[in-house]
Amino acid sequence: MKILHITPSSNGYEEVTLLANRHSKKNHLAVIEKDGEQFITGGFLIHDTPMTRAALDEIPKDFQYLFVQSFKSEPFVKSYFENES
C-alpha cells in the first residue's frame, strides 16, 4: 500500500510502501519499503490522498513534520481514579 511517510530527518514527506503496521509482537514500529530497501520506522504514516498532498504542499518542507506532529495529542487523564462520592 502506498502511503506518505514523514520524519524529523526527512525533507518533507516521501512516498513509500507500507509492508506491515508492526515489525513484531514486541516491536510496534511499522515496516516500510523505500527505493527497494526495507526500513523500520517510528515516523508518521499518512494516507496518500490528493487533499493530504495539497495541504502538505502548501507548507514549507522544513515545517511539514511539525505540522503533522501538532495533530497528534495525548489527552490528559489521571493515572489513578479517586472515587469522590
Side-chain angles (χ1 to χ4, degrees):
M1 162 191 247
K2 295 287 183 191
I3 60 167
L4 301 179
H5 175 249
I6 191 165
T7 65
S9 61
S10 64
N11 187 18
Y13 67 86
E14 56 191 0
E15 186 178 301
V16 299
T17 302
L18 178 63
L19 300 178
N21 288 331
R22 288 200 237 170
H23 181 259
S24 65
K25 288 182 181 180
K26 293 183 180 181
N27 184 338
H28 294 258
L29 298 177
V31 180
I32 61 171
E33 184 175 73
K34 178 175 105 174
D35 300 329
E37 293 185 58
Q38 295 179 358
F39 299 94
I40 298 172
T41 183
F44 291 113
L45 306 173
I46 308 164
H47 288 286
D48 187 7
T49 65
M51 286 177 48
T52 303
R53 279 186 185 248
L56 289 173
D57 287 339
E58 292 294 319
I59 301 166
K61 290 182 178 185
D62 299 351
F63 298 105
Q64 288 179 3
Y65 179 80
L66 294 173
F67 176 74
V68 172
Q69 185 182 33
S70 70
F71 287 105
K72 181 181 180 195
S73 65
E74 302 282 335
F76 175 76
V77 179
K78 289 193 231 177
S79 55
Y80 57 92
F81 178 73
E82 293 179 13
N83 192 352
E84 298 178 10
S85 314

